[in-house]
Amino acid sequence: MVEKEYRIGVITPHLDGEYYGRIIPYIHEYVTMKNSQLFVIQAMDENLGMIQMEEPVAFNLIDAWIFVLPSVSAMFQEMVDRSTKPVVAIGFLSNSSQSYSVVLNNIDSMKQAVLHLIDAHGHRDIAFIAYTDQYDLNERYLGYCEALKERGIPIDERLFVLAKDNLLDGGLKATQQLLSRGIPFTALVCGTDLNALGAIDILQKQGYKVPDDIAVIGFDDIHQASTGHPSLTTVRQPFETIGRETVNILYRLLEGQQDVPRFTNIQALFVPRASCGCADPTFVSTPDEFIMMTKSLSMTRNSLYVTTANHYQMTRGLIMATKQENIHISNLFWNLSHWGCLALWEVDKMGTKKLVIKQTFSRHGDPLPPLEEAYALEDFPPVAYLPPDAQPGGKDMVILRPIKTELHDWGYIALSTLVDPQNSFVANDLSRHSFTILAVALEREMLFNRIRSFAEKLEIVSRTTNDGIWDWNIKSNKIEWNIRAYMLLNAAGVIASDDSLKILEQIHSEDRDHVREAFVHTFKGEPLNEQPISLEFRIVGSSGQQMWVYVAGDVMRDSGGNVTRLIGSLTDITEKKDNEARIMTMAYHDALTGLPNRLLFHDRLSKALDERIQSGGKLAVFMIDLDRFKLVNDTMGHQVGDELLCQVALQLQDCLYEQDTIARLGGDEFIVLLPNIESEKAVHLVADRLLKRLSKAYVLKGMEFFLSASIGVSLYPTHGEDAELLIQFADIAMYQTKRSGGNRMRIYTPELGSQQSERVWMENGLRRALEQSEFVLHFQPQIALASGKVYGAEALIRWNTPDGKQVSPGDFIPLAEETGLIIPIGQWVLEKACMECMRWINEGLTDIVVSVNISAQQFQQGFFPERIRKVLKDTGIRPSNLCLEITEYMAVLDIEHSIKVLRELVDIGVKIAIDDFGIGQSSLVLLKKLPIHMVKIDPSFILNMIEDHHDEAISKGIIDMSHRLGLSVTAEGVETEQQLRRLQELECDRIQGYFMGRPMPSDQFIAYYKNIST
């Protein structure tokens, strides 16, 4: 039976070394036995920061995947999971539901080795070095820890060193670091054999005997382990078993078998030798060991030969790459790769990014893909053109690798190659340098073209530009300047000398070293690594005038690579630097007041916190918000408001010391930093000083303004050590101060934080309440005292939350006014009240009047009368059915505006009432100016009018004066029959209160009206 052909994809960090170089050949061997193709994708390049495969190269071509260690990104794993293609992970437990795992029992194997040191040789001070950033090495560290715990030995973190890699040098450097700590240890466990061999080398060089002074154990059982002196105790990995089991599991999945185990555990073999203190075989003890050792030495010798040859070829390729303008991949891959194609990224006319074939080669004359043929990443490489040896069952495997530099992602290269048996001996296969040379050559070609274009442009620029041009001859040490350069320098009083030292003397002392170092670096730089000169610095003229210049240039070299000349340009950037300074000032200062802004304040607060943490002491943050400042803007205009803010800023600054910082956060919010305070008493003194200063009269445009502020304070270290937290807590305290009436200071407490949370909950709830119809209207009857009939009703809003609670208007209306939500809420109340009024009219309540409270923000809207017209039109009620209630504070805030708006409303035909009269800033005289119809006495005067003759006298005065002005009067808050009788005697027109009826739903109000009427 002929087995079905599959394409198997292997994603691995590397292709070479004692681990990858041994396991990949076995995978290839068993895939070939299954008559299939192997595609190996290298995912890691430490130099470029590549650690995992992310791009779906060859994704549409591959039937099943093998991941060697965690070498793919989460995004790539997700793509594989969606494709439902089988996946087997080697060396780690995959979290994917699609993946199966074949793992070496690293934990138990390392645990056995460490227990051998403890039980067989009596060691207790055991150190550990490994590159534990790698998954399997971290498992080995866990095995080390488990062994110590099992024998009751404490884990001393000082005896662990993270190696930089798995190689000899990694072990050597880690052991040096371990020894330098001075912590005694008698045994050293290493994550790999190469780490162990490096450790033995440095231990012996520093006079330690292995194992007499320090025992050493490795892991892997590489070829050199048995031939070193002393021979290395280690753990042998069964690479062939791992490769065979991985391929077998993968093919069982491809065939649809259901009984495949998710997890296959491969056991390793502990191999005791001389380095741990066990008996060291004199040389070899069996014929098989002799043959194995001889084979190992032969392969090592051959590996050295191949490495030497590869060094020569690599050097030759590097020379060609730097010598020729273009380099071809056939000159870079000289080992077992006999077919290859290079595809670079290009964007087609449709804007799609594709890989386009740019170079190909075949040493056996096999077919090659056409140049400029484009492929999607998922369909690369061009499998139709792969050579016969790379077809299913062939002896080649296909290597895929991204070609990248730090600056550019170039594309991919595909190579058809035999398995290199030397890869398991050489920890850093030199062929991987070919990829680096190729990427650098491509970048060099791009830069060469750019430089050539730059040279052509420079020739034109030198004839047409207004910038200066300079040419420094290194051999003669003379600088030549063109006419424009002379003019630029002379204008600033700078001598355009041809002596470089004299030019250097005229550079600003703070910039001189930087300029010198930049030019020295350019002189000494290697041709491939040099960067064009690009400098900004100051030149000082003879009169002390400073000029900022931008100098750009590049070197010219002779055939020997020596710098012969530097040529470049000189630009006067003084104006640019002045603009940058202004921009920096704008970036960190408030444009209106000139105070520091939020960014600069935060920076100073962070620095002050650092100083307090180091030296001790306290600091304070003040959040200051001007009370009712919005009304100034709304009534007097933003220009007056801005002028007032500038005066406030000056006054606040005058109250503080030089080391303090005051910043404007925006609007009428300021924030103050006191970087060094002694006690809360000092905080109160500063706050009192600020509040007193703010309370003084401010005169603008012939008018006096009196301000107050709400101040919240947080303290370090009492309330926290984080800048954002201190600002947040000061803000919370300030808000609570404002809710309490303002014009005071409050220091933050945790209880205020919970109140703030309640405020946030309420604000979010308010925004939701309108959308989800959580507001309802109740109506409180208004009774005409002369007739006893129902005159109308005042609409009062109620908020029923989804959890069944009813929030009082006194709690949410102030928040709605602060957040601006009062405008849409007020509009809803107006529309809903008028709709209900229309329903009453249809029920026979023809002359009924519905009263609606209007907020200050609604009233200040320029188009408010138009909104009233629209509501009347949309609901169908007559203007005479609507009464708008405004507070006396709103009316007198901007008397001219109030008169204008009220006249428009009266012309429309609606009634106007002054609400809560008697407690504000107005007088009865002002009522003559206002076009209104009625006055509503504040309930505070009605409450005690029977017992308190002062309240009765005020109520009588309001009624009498209002009647003389032709205004009717409504008394609010009537709760007893005695109050009703007395108001009748005082000839009050209407009453409203609990005695006549509590606020009620609309249907209940209709029934109430009809009951009163009958």
Side-chain angles (χ1 to χ4, degrees):
M1 176 180 176
V2 178
E3 291 192 82
K4 185 177 179 181
E5 299 174 355
Y6 293 104
R7 296 192 186 104
I8 308 301
V10 174
I11 299 181
T12 175
H14 295 295
L15 306 175
D16 52 10
E18 293 287 350
Y19 183 81
Y20 310 106
R22 297 174 75 175
I23 202 167
I24 290 173
Y26 285 121
I27 293 173
H28 178 255
E29 178 182 341
Y30 286 104
V31 167
T32 301
M33 290 171 61
K34 296 288 187 179
N35 198 38
S36 297
Q37 289 174 288
L38 186 67
F39 290 71
V40 182
I41 305 169
Q42 183 178 337
M44 180 177 286
D45 189 324
E46 296 89 341
N47 294 326
L48 298 177
M50 291 167 46
I51 57 174
Q52 290 183 323
M53 173 54 63
E54 295 185 348
E55 298 175 325
V57 62
F59 201 84
N60 294 339
L61 308 176
I62 301 301
D63 299 306
W65 293 95
I66 297 172
F67 299 157
V68 181
L69 298 183
S71 50
V72 300
S73 67
M75 181 178 66
F76 191 94
Q77 180 69 63
E78 186 179 340
M79 288 189 292
V80 174
D81 291 346
R82 289 199 302 266
S83 72
T84 70
K85 294 178 181 181
V87 179
V88 177
I90 295 178
F92 71 104
L93 296 176
S94 173
N95 294 326
S96 168
S97 60
Q98 292 286 112
S99 299
Y100 293 72
S101 297
V102 175
V103 297
L104 182 73
N105 197 332
N106 283 293
I107 296 177
D108 287 348
S109 300
M110 181 57 84
K111 178 180 176 182
Q112 180 186 359
V114 177
L115 288 175
H116 175 80
L117 286 172
I118 299 170
D119 298 339
H121 299 289
H123 292 285
R124 295 186 65 82
D125 299 321
I126 304 172
F128 188 92
I129 63 171
Y131 177 61
T132 52
D133 288 350
Q134 188 169 304
Y135 180 88
D136 52 344
L137 274 296
N138 187 62
E139 285 195 327
R140 294 172 194 176
Y141 174 68
L142 296 177
Y144 158 82
C145 294
E146 284 191 10
L148 295 183
K149 288 179 181 177
E150 188 170 301
R151 292 297 184 265
I153 301 174
I155 297 172
D156 188 344
E157 294 183 357
R158 297 173 301 172
L159 293 179
F160 166 74
V161 176
L162 174 65
K164 69 183 181 71
D165 54 38
N166 297 328
L167 307 180
L168 283 166
D169 192 56
L172 188 149
K173 295 287 177 57
T175 305
Q176 282 180 321
Q177 185 178 346
L178 182 63
L179 292 171
S180 69
R181 292 177 180 176
I183 310 301
F185 61 96
T186 62
L188 176 60
V189 179
C190 303
T192 66
D193 284 351
L194 285 172
N195 279 167
L197 293 174
I200 290 174
D201 184 45
I202 192 63
L203 286 171
Q204 291 175 337
K205 286 182 178 178
Q206 295 201 15
Y208 292 94
K209 295 179 181 180
V210 179
D212 296 344
D213 297 328
I214 298 176
V216 179
I217 286 182
F219 200 109
D220 287 335
D221 196 22
I222 65 176
H223 300 289
Q224 299 96 309
S226 62
T227 59
H229 181 73
S231 59
L232 182 64
T233 298
T234 184
V235 178
R236 181 177 298 157
Q237 294 204 56
F239 292 108
E240 182 175 3
T241 303
I242 294 172
R244 181 182 66 248
E245 288 300 313
T246 299
V247 175
N248 286 341
I249 291 171
L250 200 63
Y251 275 82
R252 289 174 65 187
L253 295 171
L254 285 167
E255 292 165 2
Q257 296 185 27
Q258 301 297 319
D259 58 343
V260 182
R262 285 279 177 186
F263 171 72
T264 301
N265 198 353
I266 305 297
Q267 296 299 320
L269 176 65
F270 178 61
V271 183
R273 294 195 181 106
S275 67
C276 70
C278 288
D280 191 6
T282 55
F283 191 57
V284 291
S285 57
T286 67
D288 288 341
E289 288 183 2
F290 179 79
I291 293 171
M292 184 181 297
M293 190 192 71
T294 304
K295 183 179 179 181
S296 175
L297 289 172
S298 176
M299 294 182 71
T300 303
R301 184 170 56 251
N302 190 41
S303 174
L304 290 173
Y305 169 76
V306 171
T307 301
T308 303
N310 280 349
H311 263 296
Y312 169 75
Q313 292 288 357
M314 183 186 70
T315 304
R316 183 172 176 270
L318 181 60
I319 291 172
M320 294 180 67
T322 56
K323 186 176 181 180
Q324 298 174 352
E325 184 174 335
N326 303 104
I327 190 168
H328 199 274
I329 57 176
S330 60
N331 294 323
L332 288 176
F333 297 95
W334 56 85
N335 47 21
L336 300 177
S337 302
H338 60 86
W339 181 98
C341 69
L342 172 67
L344 304 182
W345 288 115
E346 288 187 7
V347 178
D348 63 16
K349 295 180 180 179
M350 302 300 293
T352 304
K353 190 178 179 183
K354 289 189 175 181
L355 289 169
V356 179
I357 305 295
K358 293 297 182 180
Q359 292 186 22
T360 59
F361 76 93
S362 173
R363 305 199 192 284
H364 300 161
D366 296 317
L368 293 168
L371 298 181
E372 302 301 324
E373 193 164 85
Y375 293 85
L377 177 63
E378 295 84 352
D379 299 321
F380 184 81
V383 292
Y385 295 96
L386 289 176
D389 286 345
Q391 297 301 324
K395 57 186 179 181
D396 279 6
M397 63 180 177
V398 179
I399 295 175
L400 296 173
R401 193 188 189 282
I403 304 300
K404 295 182 178 181
T405 62
E406 292 182 357
L407 300 177
H408 204 79
D409 179 4
W410 291 100
Y412 274 83
I413 188 170
L415 298 170
S416 179
T417 181
L418 290 169
V419 175
D420 190 347
Q422 307 304 323
N423 275 358
S424 62
F425 282 84
V426 183
N428 187 5
D429 176 24
L430 292 173
S431 64
R432 58 163 98 162
H433 296 309
S434 297
F435 297 115
T436 303
I437 294 172
L438 174 60
V440 172
L442 290 170
E443 190 158 300
R444 176 179 172 274
E445 182 180 337
M446 177 187 70
L447 293 175
F448 180 82
N449 291 332
R450 288 181 181 176
I451 291 172
R452 181 163 52 191
S453 174
F454 172 77
E456 293 170 351
K457 293 174 183 176
L458 183 61
E459 185 177 352
I460 297 172
V461 168
S462 66
R463 297 194 300 266
T464 60
T465 186
N466 287 325
D467 292 343
I469 301 295
W470 53 270
D471 183 347
W472 186 359
N473 188 312
I474 303 303
K475 291 183 178 180
S476 64
N477 196 25
K478 298 292 184 182
I479 302 176
E480 294 182 3
W481 310 88
N482 73 348
I483 298 298
R484 179 58 182 164
Y486 271 109
M487 294 172 62
L488 287 174
L489 295 174
N490 289 338
V494 177
I495 300 173
S497 172
D498 62 357
D499 187 340
S500 60
L501 292 178
K502 290 184 178 179
I503 295 296
L504 190 63
E505 290 172 358
Q506 297 178 90
I507 295 175
H508 195 287
S509 58
E510 294 179 3
D511 301 338
R512 198 172 295 149
D513 289 342
H514 170 60
V515 174
R516 183 189 292 110
E517 289 172 7
F519 276 89
V520 169
H521 178 74
T522 301
F523 288 143
K524 295 184 177 180
E526 295 296 325
L528 285 178
N529 298 323
E530 68 189 20
Q531 296 292 327
I533 296 169
S534 179
L535 289 171
E536 293 182 354
F537 55 90
R538 290 162 291 178
I539 298 181
V540 182
S542 55
S543 61
Q545 179 182 352
Q546 292 186 13
M547 177 175 68
W548 274 96
V549 295
Y550 170 69
V551 169
D554 209 344
V555 300
M556 297 187 67
R557 298 178 181 272
D558 58 20
S559 58
N562 301 308
V563 177
T564 58
R565 294 167 66 190
L566 275 80
I567 301 176
S569 62
L570 175 77
T571 308
D572 182 356
I573 59 169
T574 306
E575 184 178 353
K576 170 178 171 286
K577 284 295 183 178
D578 290 344
N579 291 335
E580 287 178 356
R582 281 192 290 271
I583 290 171
M584 287 297 292
T585 299
M586 293 170 61
Y588 289 100
H589 289 80
D590 175 49
L592 176 64
T593 63
L595 294 177
N597 63 8
R598 184 186 300 269
L599 286 174
L600 184 53
F601 180 85
H602 198 287
D603 180 64
R604 291 184 181 178
L605 175 56
S606 298
K607 290 178 180 177
L609 283 170
D610 290 340
E611 291 176 3
R612 295 285 76 76
I613 291 171
Q614 292 178 7
S615 61
K618 301 177 181 179
L619 64 76
V621 175
F622 283 45
M623 186 69 72
I624 303 173
D625 188 274
L626 302 182
D627 297 330
R628 295 179 296 279
F629 185 81
K630 186 177 185 301
L631 293 176
V632 176
N633 275 336
D634 291 343
T635 56
M636 303 303 297
H638 285 278
Q639 183 177 354
V640 173
D642 287 349
E643 291 179 19
L644 187 54
L645 284 173
C646 290
Q647 288 198 21
V648 167
L650 291 173
Q651 295 297 326
L652 292 175
Q653 277 182 297
D654 196 43
C655 292
L656 301 173
Y657 295 109
E658 185 177 350
Q659 69 268 23
D660 302 333
T661 295
I662 177 170
R664 180 176 177 235
L665 299 182
D668 59 350
E669 271 195 331
F670 297 85
I671 190 167
V672 171
L673 166 64
L674 305 183
N676 195 4
I677 60 167
E678 295 181 358
S679 63
E680 284 192 14
K681 182 179 179 181
V683 170
H684 284 279
L685 290 174
V686 174
D688 290 344
R689 192 161 66 239
L690 292 171
L691 291 172
K692 286 179 182 177
R693 183 64 63 89
L694 285 173
S695 66
K696 293 184 178 180
Y698 295 84
V699 180
L700 287 173
K701 297 189 180 299
M703 297 181 62
E704 285 190 336
F705 294 87
F706 293 90
L707 296 177
S708 63
S710 300
I711 301 177
V713 178
S714 63
L715 304 172
Y716 165 86
T718 308
H719 301 133
E721 300 180 358
D722 177 75
E724 289 295 343
L725 207 58
L726 290 173
I727 294 172
Q728 178 186 343
F729 287 162
D731 190 55
I732 290 172
M734 180 275 293
Y735 172 74
Q736 295 300 331
T737 305
K738 185 171 286 290
R739 288 194 68 183
S740 302
N743 196 28
R744 68 194 72 185
M745 180 273 288
R746 176 174 286 186
I747 296 176
Y748 173 81
T749 63
E751 291 76 16
L752 296 182
S754 62
Q755 294 175 21
Q756 178 71 358
S757 299
E758 182 181 346
R759 175 185 182 275
V760 173
W761 171 87
M762 186 176 292
E763 182 176 342
N764 292 335
L766 277 177
R767 298 182 187 278
R768 183 191 66 240
L770 270 176
E771 300 173 0
Q772 300 185 3
S773 303
E774 295 175 12
F775 291 126
V776 296
L777 287 185
H778 285 192
F779 300 89
Q780 186 170 35
Q782 297 171 333
I783 306 300
L785 280 176
S787 64
K789 294 182 180 181
V790 178
Y791 168 79
E794 181 180 356
L796 300 170
I797 190 170
R798 298 291 184 266
W799 178 15
N800 298 321
T801 62
D803 56 3
K805 296 179 181 178
Q806 188 173 85
V807 184
S808 167
D811 290 332
F812 71 82
I813 290 298
L815 180 59
E817 291 175 338
E818 182 182 339
T819 59
L821 290 172
I822 193 65
I823 292 179
I825 291 174
Q827 184 67 20
W828 177 85
V829 171
L830 179 64
E831 294 172 356
K832 184 69 174 176
C834 290
M835 289 168 61
E836 292 301 316
C837 183
M838 189 65 215
R839 193 160 73 89
W840 300 342
I841 293 170
N842 293 335
E843 289 283 339
L845 286 65
T846 54
D847 295 326
I848 200 75
V849 175
V850 64
S851 296
V852 179
N853 291 285
I854 302 301
S855 71
Q857 295 181 40
Q858 285 177 284
F859 191 70
Q860 294 298 329
Q861 291 179 301
F863 47 83
F864 179 67
E866 288 302 319
R867 288 205 165 182
I868 299 299
R869 287 191 180 92
K870 186 175 187 305
V871 171
L872 293 172
K873 179 180 178 182
D874 292 344
T875 58
I877 69 171
R878 298 188 305 273
S880 59
N881 292 117
L882 176 62
C883 178
L884 302 178
E885 296 187 7
I886 65 171
T887 64
E888 55 177 322
Y889 176 78
M890 288 165 49
V892 301
L893 187 63
D894 184 349
I895 191 70
E896 299 301 327
H897 173 79
S898 297
I899 292 172
K900 178 178 179 296
V901 174
L902 292 175
R903 280 177 178 168
E904 287 189 58
L905 294 172
V906 170
D907 290 343
I908 292 172
V910 300
K911 296 178 173 64
I912 306 296
I914 297 295
D915 196 15
D916 300 333
F917 190 83
I919 62 170
Q921 302 170 351
S922 66
S923 66
L924 288 169
V925 177
L926 288 175
L927 296 182
K928 295 192 299 181
K929 296 184 178 181
L930 298 174
I932 60 176
H933 302 93
M934 63 188 74
V935 172
K936 297 186 75 174
I937 303 176
D938 188 79
S940 62
F941 299 115
I942 305 301
L943 179 64
N944 298 312
M945 67 178 297
I946 303 301
E947 298 83 9
D948 189 334
H949 68 278
H950 295 294
D951 285 347
E952 180 185 5
I954 292 172
S955 300
K956 183 178 185 304
I958 293 173
I959 294 169
D960 291 344
M961 293 297 294
S962 296
H963 286 167
R964 291 176 187 175
L965 293 172
L967 306 176
S968 62
V969 180
T970 300
E972 292 187 278
V974 179
E975 298 184 355
T976 67
E977 184 175 356
Q978 287 178 296
Q979 293 169 349
L980 182 151
R981 298 299 182 195
R982 185 61 185 136
L983 288 167
Q984 279 182 320
E985 294 172 359
L986 296 176
E987 298 182 356
C988 183
D989 300 286
R990 287 174 291 276
I991 60 172
Q992 176 182 338
Y994 283 0
F995 183 73
M996 302 307 298
R998 290 175 175 271
M1000 59 192 72
S1002 182
D1003 290 338
Q1004 188 176 338
F1005 174 74
I1006 294 173
Y1008 175 92
Y1009 181 94
K1010 291 180 178 180
N1011 183 53
I1012 293 293
S1013 298
T1014 58

